[in-house]
Amino acid sequence: MGKLIYVTNLSLDGYIEDPEGVFAWLPMDDELFAFYTDLLRPVGTMLYGRRMYEGMATWETDPTLAARSEPMAGFANVWQAASKVVYSTTLPAVTTAGTRLERRFDPAAVRELKTATGGELTIGGADLAAQAFRAGLVDECRLFLWPVALGGGKPGLPTGTRTDLELLDERRFANGVLHLHYRTADR
């Protein structure tokens, strides 16, 4: 059975975006791009909410991103190679290859996808991930804690739902980012 992994960037106070809905507080560097690329290389399918997908789609629709550095080009290649499923009631159409649009999140369909895949799947977008947590579908979390406190915004982890986690690994980056790899305790 495949694993569903929640991958997200968080401020130290637990937000994925600031009160204005911006997440431009994430200065990426080549070390992090290389790590993200290695993390996503085995992923066959990426599940996204609309806003996360629209932000990530630029890795296919804007070739200047990949041209900036070798690690960014590697990330773009890995992102483009994976299949994507976007869950949105408002997105008129997808703009990237290998992507399908679903109008609602169906936990049973995701469970079937995990069974059929046998590999790794990621989920991105806090609202979508919260639905997956509530349905008991998330097997692991890969959290990137950034050295900034936003003081408010959109929480990166679901509220109103308890999830016990077991720390599997951690890594510190030169720019102050901390990567925490957790398994959900009931897995």
Side-chain angles (χ1 to χ4, degrees):
M1 179 140 144
K3 290 190 300 188
L4 183 61
I5 304 166
Y6 178 41
V7 180
T8 195
N9 293 291
L10 296 168
S11 64
L12 287 177
D13 50 353
Y15 298 101
I16 63 164
E17 58 188 41
D18 69 17
E20 287 77 43
V22 176
F23 48 85
W25 44 270
L26 305 173
M28 295 292 287
D29 61 19
D30 285 348
E31 181 187 23
L32 268 175
F33 269 109
F35 188 83
Y36 278 111
T37 301
D38 289 341
L39 173 67
L40 296 177
R41 196 176 313 283
V43 173
T45 304
M46 299 174 179
L47 311 178
Y48 288 117
R50 180 192 54 85
R51 287 192 62 217
M52 180 64 70
Y53 168 72
E54 289 174 331
M56 296 301 293
T58 58
W59 289 102
E60 184 172 323
T61 61
D62 182 358
T64 64
L65 287 175
R68 292 182 187 170
S69 72
E70 190 172 316
M72 290 176 81
F75 181 85
N77 289 334
V78 166
W79 190 87
Q80 291 173 29
S83 297
K84 274 87 75 193
V85 180
V86 182
Y87 298 89
S88 174
T89 59
T90 58
L91 187 67
V94 295
T95 58
T96 57
T99 306
R100 82 173 190 264
L101 179 61
E102 295 288 338
R103 292 298 176 194
R104 67 179 187 85
F105 181 76
D106 179 2
V110 174
R111 206 169 276 109
E112 287 176 24
L113 184 60
K114 285 175 63 174
T115 300
T117 301
E120 293 184 0
L121 302 98
T122 59
I123 189 163
D127 294 335
L128 183 64
Q131 293 177 62
F133 272 105
R134 283 191 284 279
L137 295 169
V138 177
D139 300 293
E140 293 183 6
C141 296
R142 305 295 290 252
L143 307 176
F144 292 84
L145 295 179
W146 288 76
V148 61
L150 299 177
K154 181 185 278 188
L157 293 167
T159 58
T161 301
R162 179 183 171 139
T163 304
D164 293 323
L165 303 170
E166 174 188 345
L167 183 64
L168 299 177
D169 195 19
E170 61 186 77
R171 178 173 172 181
R172 295 165 81 168
F173 292 90
N175 66 358
V177 171
L178 178 63
H179 169 254
L180 300 172
H181 180 190
Y182 291 99
R183 173 176 45 221
T184 53
D186 60 346
R187 301 281 180 241

